[in-house]
């Protein structure tokens, strides 16, 4: 059985190469506007950095993630964190809000996720989320695909990057009123370069049976291709992120 993407991730590596993920998620907390009386689910909580900020507002927060290492890190911050699959949520009308930052694009069964979020929310509860949308990391995807193809290999399907219309339709199908949905470019400097990004995110993309030497060659070729195309900012490679931001309210 293949591991889900989150099972590959380790808190220490994530903090080293991808701390920007939580940093860019901070403005999303303003859209969430958590209140002290509320109970909130942080879906794909990672190491709990943003979850902790939500909890500091006085509300009750449950963090859920598929990585045991992330859950342990979140618990180390005092978060009520549980190990689980966002595609198999079993909460029943328990939450006033579901919050999710940079996680939903790793959950490829998007309909199961939206169905689970709807079931987890009380009537009038809201989803506040931001994740990769249509066109996200297109340059990186192309380079990885071509590098694998040079060895007769294909990437594993592990991403869900929807358009605005596709995700709006999915939310509405499951009883949400969409109050805001927008796709926007967010060029993202990579503090440890393309190699650091791949060290954090490549494992679930590469075929499960790839050998170490082929893996090395694929990643080196990907880095070389991407570094030639993507712009630089203060010496850092800038990844071509496209983000989809959503605010939707459960109507029924």
């Amino acid at each position: 059985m293949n591991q889900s993407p989150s099972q590959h991730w380790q808190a220490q590596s994530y903090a080293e190469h991808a701390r920007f993920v939580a940093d860019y998620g901070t403005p999303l907390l303003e859209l969430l506007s958590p209140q002290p009386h509320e109970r909130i689910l942080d879906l794909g909580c990672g190491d709990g950095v943003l979850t902790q900020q939500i909890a500091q507002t006085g509300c009750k927060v449950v963090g859920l993630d598929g990585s045991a290492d992330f859950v342990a890190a979140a618990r180390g911050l005092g978060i009520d964190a549980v190990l689980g699959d966002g595609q198999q949520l079993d909460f029943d009308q328990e939450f006033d809000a579901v919050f999710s930052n940079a996680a939903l694009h790793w959950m490829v069964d998007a309909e199961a996720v939206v169905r689970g979020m709807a079931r987890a929310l009380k009537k009038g509860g809201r989803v506040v989320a931001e994740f990769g949308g249509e066109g996200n990391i297109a340059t990186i995807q192309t380079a990885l695909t071509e590098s694998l193809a040079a060895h007769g290999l294909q990437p594993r399907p592990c991403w869900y990057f929807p358009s605005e219309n596709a995700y709006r339709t999915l939310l509405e199908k499951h009883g949400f009123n969409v109050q805001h949905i927008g796709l926007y470019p967010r060029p993202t400097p990579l503090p440890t370069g393309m190699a650091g990004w791949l060290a954090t995110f490549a494992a679930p993309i590469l075929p499960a049976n790839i050998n170490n030497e082929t893996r090395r060659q694929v990643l080196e070729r990907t880095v070389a291709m991407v570094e030639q195309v993507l712009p630089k900012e203060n010496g850092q490679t800038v990844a071509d992120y496209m983000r989809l931001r959503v605010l939707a309210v459960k109507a029924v």
Side-chain angles (χ1 to χ4, degrees), residues 93 118 121-124 174-177 249-252:
Q93 301 183 69
L121 286 168
K122 303 172 185 176
K123 183 177 179 180
H174 290 279
F176 286 99
N177 287 331
V249 175
K250 180 179 175 180
V252 293

Side-chain angles (χ1 to χ4, degrees), residues 5-82:
S6 59
Q7 289 175 300
H8 290 271
W9 296 334
Q10 301 296 311
Q12 182 175 349
S13 174
Y14 203 84
E16 178 183 355
H17 298 297
R19 177 50 60 211
F20 62 84
V21 173
D23 294 342
Y24 277 106
T26 300
L28 197 62
L29 300 178
E30 298 178 12
L31 187 60
L32 176 65
S33 185
Q35 302 300 310
H37 65 277
E38 290 186 316
R39 182 171 166 82
I40 296 175
L41 174 66
D42 186 353
L43 179 55
C45 67
D47 58 9
V49 171
L50 287 180
T51 324
Q52 185 182 47
Q53 293 182 43
I54 298 171
Q56 287 170 348
T57 67
C59 60
K60 295 181 179 179
V61 189
V62 175
L64 182 143
D65 203 277
S67 163
D69 199 59
F70 275 166
V71 168
R75 288 175 177 171
L77 296 177
I79 303 300
D80 178 11
V82 296

Side-chain angles (χ1 to χ4, degrees), residues 168-188:
R168 178 190 293 274
T169 299
L170 185 56
L171 288 165
E172 290 174 346
K173 177 181 177 180
H174 290 279
F176 286 99
N177 287 331
V178 179
Q179 297 191 350
H180 169 80
I181 187 166
L183 183 68
Y184 70 97
R186 196 200 70 199
T188 302

Side-chain angles (χ1 to χ4, degrees), residues 9 14 20-21 24-25 28 43-44 100-108 110 113-114 128-138 140-141 158-168 170-171 181-188 197 201 239-246:
W9 296 334
Y14 203 84
F20 62 84
V21 173
Y24 277 106
L28 197 62
L43 179 55
S100 187
N101 177 61
L104 297 184
H105 52 252
W106 292 106
M107 306 175 197
V108 293
V113 174
V114 173
V128 175
E130 184 174 302
F131 58 104
E134 185 177 35
N136 191 54
I137 57 169
I140 300 171
Q141 288 190 75
C158 66
W159 284 319
Y160 169 69
F161 296 145
S163 67
E164 287 183 31
N165 287 339
Y167 205 66
R168 178 190 293 274
L170 185 56
L171 288 165
I181 187 166
L183 183 68
Y184 70 97
R186 196 200 70 199
T188 302
W197 191 96
F201 297 112
D240 51 343
Y241 276 41
M242 291 289 294
R243 311 313 274 178
L244 189 66
R245 182 173 289 187
V246 174

